[in-house]
């Protein structure tokens, strides 16, 4: 079936973006909202996005007019008989969705496909509101819809033959890559992404690290396009909360319990960018950006440093970089110096070396996260006895050496791995449990969330054995069951195989 005309019901951020995607692909769109004020707001979002593309030189004014001419705003369901596909993009409330599907049933032709962009609700339960559930399917776009290239095409047990293939072909015409999935909570991308975002909120609310540092760990440390807290503000904290509630309800794992701070912010209406304030503040004074503050006042770079390391390349490189920056470097803990620096390993605590050096209050760790991603990020590791002055001096020193810095407590994984490794373990468990293939998960995360490498490419780059050892250290250190290394990872480590190269188990 050729889709020539579509209806988009609901013109919030996602609906307006989806209408734009269809119109850009040459498909006529009826854009529907409940009332004229909401319709005008939605069309305003679409116009702003097209105008921005013109101002960036991505569209000509003539193309903009042509695209806009394909979109017909409507405040009722009157024109639906012409639509080959209708997609619902309204808030995540089951009773609202079911009402809309009952209306779509009445207004659309019997052969039209009815799609939902739901991010968390059961497509099967939505389909049950239709008299013809076989034509109901999930067509899940990612925010911002005009940019992100993934579409999850979600079939239910009652989906009719060929519906998923028709919608996948349509997604390709839109310039997107479809991944066909079954109707499980969170599908692929949200089931993996949201627990990671929730974990980041947990790190923030337990004061493990500051908000900006958590985001920098993901961007500068792993190379992700956005930090998890900034991404939550983009997605909307209310949307994120409802996805976490659905995941928690379906799977019951403690890791899926929504972080209390996520719930509080959503309850307070601090839902993210769309509200002007979420975890960060938008368009206001920069001072209000992070409820947990920044890194404190800048300190002077120390003139002299005692460097304690393992006698490896890292220690040598640091010593020569400091010498080149005019800093006196000593290796003897008894020599006087402004700062004692331990060249740290993410899986060995800094404290024993710091105590052995005899000046634990003057000591911090420095850990470089180069192996995992983009690279030049230094974690300044603060032990339970490091003074604030030592932490500030260590931060200033790493800045002078050209590193971006974050601060982390002296706990297994410090900050980057503490954030990333449980996410990698979740990805392995999804494959282990037959939820999705490693290839589909990597496609979902690269095209849906802009990861430069999928979770399995990251594991293969670091080595399954290294990720396994890290998770084991986190599991031992924290005792949380979700940090337990999945058996499938242990098997890959033992066999010395990568996920990319691993033969698919027969199912
Ligand atoms: N609408 C349309 N276009 C947009 C846009 C928007 N809201 N935001 C950015 N863009 C375009 C820009 O115009 C620019 O286009 P150009 O290269 O043709 O000029 C391009 O995207 C890059 O934008 P910027 O240069 O302004 O900014 P960045 O390079 O920092 O990229 C980003 C912005 C694309 C949002 C990038 O940070 C990213 O990929 N972030 C990850 C987003 C993500 O993970 N999304 C998935 C969330 S989960 C989800 O949506 C599922 C749901 O169910 C919860």
């Amino acid at each position: 079936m050729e889709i020539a005309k579509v209806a988009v019901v609901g013109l919030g951020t996602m609906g307006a973006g989806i209408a734009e995607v269809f119109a850009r692909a040459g498909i006529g769109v009826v854009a529907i909202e409940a009332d004229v004020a909401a319709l005008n707001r939605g069309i305003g979002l679409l116009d702003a996005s097209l105008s921005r593309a013109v101002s960036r030189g991505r569209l000509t004014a003539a193309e903009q007019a042509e695209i806009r001419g394909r979109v017909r705003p409507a405040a009722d369901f009157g024109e639906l008989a012409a639509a080959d596909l209708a997609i619902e993009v309204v808030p995540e409330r089951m009773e609202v969705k079911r009402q809309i599907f009952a209306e779509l049933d009445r207004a659309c032709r019997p052969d039209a496909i009815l799609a939902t962009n739901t991010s968390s609700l059961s497509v099967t339960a939505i389909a049950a509101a239709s008299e013809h559930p076989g034509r109901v399917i999930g067509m899940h776009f990612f925010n911002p819809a005009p940019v992100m290239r993934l579409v999850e095409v979600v079939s239910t047990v009652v989906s009719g033959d060929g519906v998923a293939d028709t919608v996948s072909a349509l997604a390709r015409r839109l310039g997107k890559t479809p991944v066909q999935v079954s109707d499980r909570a969170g599908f692929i991308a949200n089931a993996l992404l949201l627990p990671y975002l929730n974990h980041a909120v947990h790190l923030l609310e337990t004061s493990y690290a500051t908000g900006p540092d958590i985001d920098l760990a993901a961007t500068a440390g792993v190379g992700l396009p956005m930090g998890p807290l900034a991404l939550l503000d983009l997605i909307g904290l209310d949307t994120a909360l409802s996805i976490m509630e659905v995941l928690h309800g379906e799977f019951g794992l403690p890791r899926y319990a929504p972080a209390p701070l996520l719930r509080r912010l959503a309850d307070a209406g601090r839902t993210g960018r769309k509200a002007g304030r979420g975890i960060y503040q938008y368009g206001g004074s920069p001072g209000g950006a992070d409820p947990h503050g920044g890194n404190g006042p800048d300190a002077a770079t120390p003139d002299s440093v005692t460097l304690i390391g393992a006698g490896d390349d890292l220690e040598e490189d640091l010593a020569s970089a400091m010498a080149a920056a005019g800093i006196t470097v000593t290796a003897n803990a008894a020599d006087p110096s402004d700062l004692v620096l331990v060249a740290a390993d993410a899986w060995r605590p800094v404290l024993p070396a710091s105590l052995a050096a005899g000046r634990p209050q003057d000591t911090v760790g420095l850990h470089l996260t180069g192996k995992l991603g983009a690279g030049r990020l230094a974690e300044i590791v603060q032990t339970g006895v490091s003074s604030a002055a030592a932490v500030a001096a260590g931060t200033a020193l790493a800045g002078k050496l050209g590193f971006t810095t974050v601060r982390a407590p002296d706990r297994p994984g410090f900050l980057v791995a503490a954030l990333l490794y449980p996410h990698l373990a979740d990805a392995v468990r999804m494959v282990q449990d037959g939820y999705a293939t490693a290839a589909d998960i990597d496609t979902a995360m690269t095209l849906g969330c802009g990861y430069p490498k999928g979770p399995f490419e990251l594991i293969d780059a670091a080595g399954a054995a290294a990720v396994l050892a890290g998770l084991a250290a986190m599991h031992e250190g924290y005792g949380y069951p979700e940090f337990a290394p999945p058996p499938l990872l242990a098997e890959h480590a033992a066999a010395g195989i990568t996920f990319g190269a691993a033969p698919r188990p027969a199912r």
Side-chain angles (χ1 to χ4, degrees), residues 6 16-31 43 45-54 58-73 146 174:
V6 302
I18 291 169
E20 177 182 339
V21 170
F22 282 119
R24 276 176 177 256
I27 297 170
V29 180
V30 184
I43 295 295
L45 292 173
L46 170 68
D47 284 338
S49 178
L50 291 176
S51 299
R52 188 171 53 177
V54 173
R58 303 290 185 188
L59 276 183
T60 64
E63 286 165 334
Q64 177 186 24
E66 210 178 313
I67 293 167
R68 186 60 182 76
R70 292 192 192 109
V71 181
R72 255 181 88 75
L174 302 176

Side-chain angles (χ1 to χ4, degrees), residues 49 52 56 58 119 140-144 146-148 190 193 225-226 231 234-235 239 243 448-450:
S49 178
R52 188 171 53 177
R56 292 171 80 112
R58 303 290 185 188
S119 50
H140 183 222
F141 289 82
F142 288 77
N143 191 354
V147 184
M148 308 316 289
N190 282 346
L193 181 72
M226 292 174 84
L231 183 53
L234 176 74
I235 292 171
T239 303
I243 299 172
C449 305

Side-chain angles (χ1 to χ4, degrees), residues 208-210 213-214 294-299 378-382 388 390-396 405-409 414-415:
Y208 190 95
T210 67
D213 278 3
I214 291 168
N295 273 333
D298 290 343
E379 293 175 300
I380 304 300
V381 184
Q382 180 169 9
V391 174
T395 308
T405 56
V406 294
R407 294 173 180 185
F414 302 143
L415 182 52

Side-chain angles (χ1 to χ4, degrees), residues 13-14 92 119 143 190 193-194 197 201 226 228-244 262-263 265-267 269-279 282:
T13 314
M14 283 306 284
E92 295 286 90
S119 50
N143 191 354
N190 282 346
L193 181 72
L194 268 294
L197 302 183
V201 178
M226 292 174 84
L229 303 173
L231 183 53
L232 275 168
D233 277 351
L234 176 74
I235 292 171
L237 272 64
D238 48 345
T239 303
L241 176 62
S242 55
I243 299 172
M244 286 313 302
L262 178 65
R263 190 183 294 284
L265 291 174
D267 285 352
R270 282 179 53 173
T271 54
R273 281 195 199 182
K274 61 189 171 190
R277 189 154 197 207
I279 289 170
Y282 299 86

Side-chain angles (χ1 to χ4, degrees), residues 301-357:
T301 310
D303 294 323
S304 54
V305 171
T306 301
L307 179 62
I308 297 170
D312 56 7
D313 290 353
L314 171 60
E315 186 181 355
E316 258 177 48
D317 291 352
L318 278 176
S320 47
M322 284 193 274
I327 297 163
T328 306
V329 183
T330 156
N332 187 344
D335 292 343
S337 64
D338 295 337
L339 177 73
V340 183
L341 192 69
V342 176
D345 174 303
W347 309 112
R348 245 199 331 265
V350 169
L351 187 62
S354 144
L355 293 172

Side-chain angles (χ1 to χ4, degrees), residues 385-406:
V385 276
S386 303
S387 69
V391 174
T395 308
L397 169 68
K400 172 131 185 172
L401 300 181
F403 296 110
T404 302
T405 56
V406 294

